Amino acid sequence: MSKSKTDKLASSKPIYHYASSSHQILSSVAPIYYKGQYRLYFLQSVLEQSDSKTEYCLIQSNDLIHWITNAPGLSFKSNESLAGCIVHDHKNTCGLGTATKSPLVTIYGEQIKGKQVWSMSFSLDGGKNWQVYPQSIGLDIKKSKLCDPFIFWHPESGRWIMVISLINEFKIQIHTSKNLIKWEFSSDFGGHPSFKKEWTRVTIIPLSVVNQQDVKKWVLIVTTGDDYPGARYFVGVFNGKAFMCDHALDLVNPVDFGKDLFAPRVFSNAPEHRQIMVAAITNESYKDHLPTLSWKSMISIPRELSLAKNTDGSFTLLQQPIAELKKLRSKSLEFAKSPMSQEVEWELALSESMEFELLLDSHKICTLEFDFGNKAKLLLIWDPVKHQLSLDRTSKALSFHPSYPSIESAKTTSGHLLPLHIFLDNHSIEIFADKGKCSLTSLYFPPNSLQRFRIIGKHFAASGTIHTLGLPAEQV
């Protein structure tokens, strides 16, 4: 990649995605909604330092769009710590709060004196200052390598639930506690012979079924190593002690069909029982080789999760961009359904940050072409015969690492209509297709901003609304 291109990329940060200016965002995040604010804790390392230090970062938002950086108040005894999980002990079950102050509690793994141990800290002032709990929290999974736990309050059983992945055993353990301090092993899940990749971060949440009134299922999301799929999910039942899967364990349900959505996590305590997921847009294979200087990874747009029941009785995870993102729209153009054609190219001003709400009508292959000039193109290809949507990023002008060029595909439902919802920002594209039944997320590093957008095929029609996006002035 030429120096001029690297210099251009170094100065062009994402516009409406959060990306740190001076640190590299690591994969683990601990999201929580607390007293009217969405808080996102994650680990970061200082860029351009041979002996980089791992530390917590905290960003906060009232609307999931405008983020400000704040002092996290947390620190580690070790440079090999995990982000862990942060919960609000609203009932003061741990006994560390007062009559008027319920504590925030974090449980995380640390490397201390050559051994990985569980540590706990708590805060009585909303996270400004943290105190280390001086005693053991009574949890020993007898493994040399720990992963970030996922912890939540289960009101039906009146207990805290901790879910931990066992990396090389391809399974999770479930532990329960009345007070966050003393934990009891309850059950495990996984270990199927078809599992070949490391199980790292894990999340388990209840989700509403959109086409079944008053029905909820539990979804277990597991990050599964370096390569695609970056995370998979299982649908089933959770009774406070064990997770029981509804489908065959060798069925692979990717959370995202692209290569660059890593370590998804869900905000705890979100209002109105919303389940809002965020993740790092990065890839372990090339995260240290991105052609930028001022940032190295970004946080995805928040996605609202639910489930849909299919005609065969199975369930599919639905992901929809949160409604708050509509605040980003600065200009919108609506295009009526085109005549059946071989090419559609609407007259509109293109920019680095755009949102596309489209409906394709075709019985044959058609392609959305994002052309950045100098032969740099992203192609989104829909094949209604094979029921397949593919993101092609094999353009040589986009490549910066041997692992980057790829064509990633997702299955779509049968039929001649395909709704698409696409978010484009400096260096990222997030695609939601088939009413949220599949998503594809990818980084990209073109020589220019978007120069041309068109749809090409043999016999198709298209309609939709295209928005120019910009971050309102209140961004800090």
Side-chain angles (χ1 to χ4, degrees):
M1 186 171 290
S2 68
K3 184 179 185 301
S4 61
K5 181 177 177 181
T6 301
D7 291 345
K8 177 179 175 63
L9 292 170
S11 61
S12 57
K13 285 181 61 180
I15 294 174
Y16 58 89
H17 288 77
Y18 176 83
S20 175
S21 298
S22 57
H23 297 77
Q24 178 172 342
I25 299 172
L26 303 180
S27 55
S28 299
V29 293
I32 184 172
Y33 180 81
Y34 177 73
K35 292 188 175 180
Q37 279 193 330
Y38 293 92
R39 298 185 177 189
L40 185 56
Y41 292 84
F42 54 87
L43 293 182
Q44 60 183 9
S45 60
V46 180
L47 296 179
E48 300 180 4
Q49 292 188 13
S50 58
D51 186 23
S52 61
K53 178 184 178 182
T54 300
E55 61 185 19
Y56 257 121
C57 178
L58 167 62
I59 57 175
Q60 299 173 208
S61 174
N62 295 324
D63 60 4
L64 292 165
I65 298 174
H66 304 93
W67 295 94
I68 61 172
T69 303
N70 211 334
L74 286 164
S75 61
F76 295 111
K77 301 175 184 176
S78 157
N79 198 36
E80 300 181 25
S81 301
L82 301 173
C85 189
I86 296 176
V87 296
H88 178 209
D89 187 3
H90 56 290
K91 294 186 176 182
N92 191 27
T93 61
C94 63
L96 299 173
T98 67
T100 58
K101 297 179 180 179
S102 54
L104 289 174
V105 176
T106 178
I107 296 176
Y108 48 93
E110 287 194 300
Q111 185 82 16
I112 299 177
K113 295 182 179 179
K115 182 181 178 181
Q116 285 193 307
V117 299
W118 292 105
S119 299
M120 186 174 96
S121 296
F122 64 97
S123 172
L124 298 180
D125 57 6
K128 294 179 182 179
N129 298 281
W130 293 81
Q131 304 174 55
V132 176
Y133 183 69
Q135 303 174 32
S136 167
I137 65 168
L139 176 65
D140 185 4
I141 60 172
K142 295 180 173 61
K143 302 295 176 183
S144 60
K145 192 174 182 180
L146 305 179
C147 275
D148 295 313
F150 180 76
I151 305 169
F152 66 98
W153 175 254
H154 188 249
E156 291 82 1
S157 62
R159 287 177 174 266
W160 292 97
I161 310 296
M162 179 189 290
V163 187
I164 310 168
S165 58
L166 307 184
I167 296 179
N168 297 316
E169 297 180 29
F170 319 119
K171 64 170 62 176
I172 63 162
Q173 282 188 354
I174 297 174
H175 299 255
T176 65
S177 174
K178 293 181 178 180
N179 57 15
L180 290 168
I181 297 173
K182 299 298 181 183
W183 293 88
E184 297 177 356
F185 171 78
S186 180
S187 63
D188 58 21
F189 169 80
H192 192 271
S194 66
F195 303 156
K196 303 298 182 183
K197 297 180 180 179
E198 292 182 345
W199 281 29
T200 55
R201 296 153 194 87
V202 61
T203 297
I204 182 170
I205 51 173
L207 289 180
S208 298
V209 181
V210 295
N211 52 353
Q212 282 196 307
Q213 189 174 2
D214 299 326
V215 174
K216 288 191 176 183
K217 302 290 289 186
W218 284 79
V219 175
L220 176 70
I221 299 173
V222 182
T223 300
T224 55
D226 295 348
D227 302 320
Y228 164 86
R232 65 188 296 181
Y233 68 91
F234 303 86
V235 181
V237 176
F238 179 69
N239 61 7
K241 295 181 179 180
F243 174 78
M244 293 146 283
C245 188
D246 285 351
H247 51 83
L249 296 187
D250 58 357
L251 175 65
V252 179
N253 294 313
V255 172
D256 190 276
F257 289 83
K259 291 189 73 171
D260 297 334
L261 192 82
F262 189 72
R265 285 292 183 98
V266 176
F267 281 93
S268 63
N269 299 336
E272 300 177 0
H273 305 289
R274 298 174 73 186
Q275 300 288 13
I276 300 172
M277 183 183 82
V278 291
I281 301 182
T282 188
N283 187 294
E284 290 288 286
S285 298
Y286 42 77
K287 69 179 183 180
D288 296 324
H289 303 278
L290 303 186
T292 63
L293 297 177
S294 60
W295 64 277
K296 283 295 182 183
S297 59
M298 67 181 92
I299 301 297
S300 70
I301 60 172
R303 309 171 180 201
E304 195 132 13
L305 304 183
S306 59
L307 287 171
K309 187 173 184 179
N310 305 313
T311 55
D312 63 359
S314 64
F315 294 87
T316 297
L317 181 68
L318 301 182
Q319 300 178 58
Q320 298 288 357
I322 58 169
E324 288 89 336
L325 291 168
K326 294 177 182 178
K327 297 177 184 178
L328 296 172
R329 296 172 180 172
S330 60
K331 183 179 180 181
S332 301
L333 291 174
E334 186 174 352
F335 299 94
K337 186 174 181 179
S338 66
M340 285 293 178
S341 174
Q342 294 185 350
E343 180 176 342
V344 170
E345 185 169 2
W346 293 305
E347 291 187 11
L348 73 158
L350 300 174
S351 74
E352 297 91 345
S353 56
M354 303 186 73
E355 176 188 359
F356 301 79
E357 295 182 288
L358 306 174
L359 180 63
L360 303 183
D361 184 351
S362 181
H363 292 276
K364 298 182 179 181
I365 293 175
C366 56
T367 300
L368 280 67
E369 182 183 86
F370 299 87
D371 188 344
F372 300 93
N374 300 103
K375 299 182 179 181
K377 295 180 180 180
L378 280 175
L379 304 177
L380 186 61
I381 306 162
W382 176 42
D383 187 336
V385 177
K386 293 183 179 179
H387 318 308
Q388 183 172 279
L389 182 68
S390 301
L391 179 63
D392 182 339
R393 56 183 202 175
T394 58
S395 169
K396 290 183 179 180
L398 292 176
S399 182
F400 61 90
H401 187 272
S403 298
Y404 179 81
S406 66
I407 300 176
E408 306 302 328
S409 299
K411 283 292 183 182
T412 59
T413 53
S414 59
H416 63 95
L417 298 175
L418 180 69
L420 289 168
H421 198 173
I422 302 169
F423 285 80
L424 199 71
D425 197 358
N426 268 338
H427 315 310
S428 73
I429 185 169
E430 294 177 71
I431 302 159
F432 304 88
D434 219 356
K435 299 180 180 179
K437 288 186 177 179
C438 68
S439 67
L440 295 102
T441 302
S442 177
L443 292 164
Y444 67 92
F445 298 94
N448 310 292
S449 58
L450 185 62
Q451 304 292 303
R452 186 182 187 186
F453 171 74
R454 63 175 179 159
I455 308 172
I456 52 179
K458 292 185 176 180
H459 191 66
F460 73 94
S463 61
T465 304
I466 300 179
H467 313 274
T468 302
L469 304 183
L471 205 58
E474 58 263 37
Q475 171 70 48
V476 177

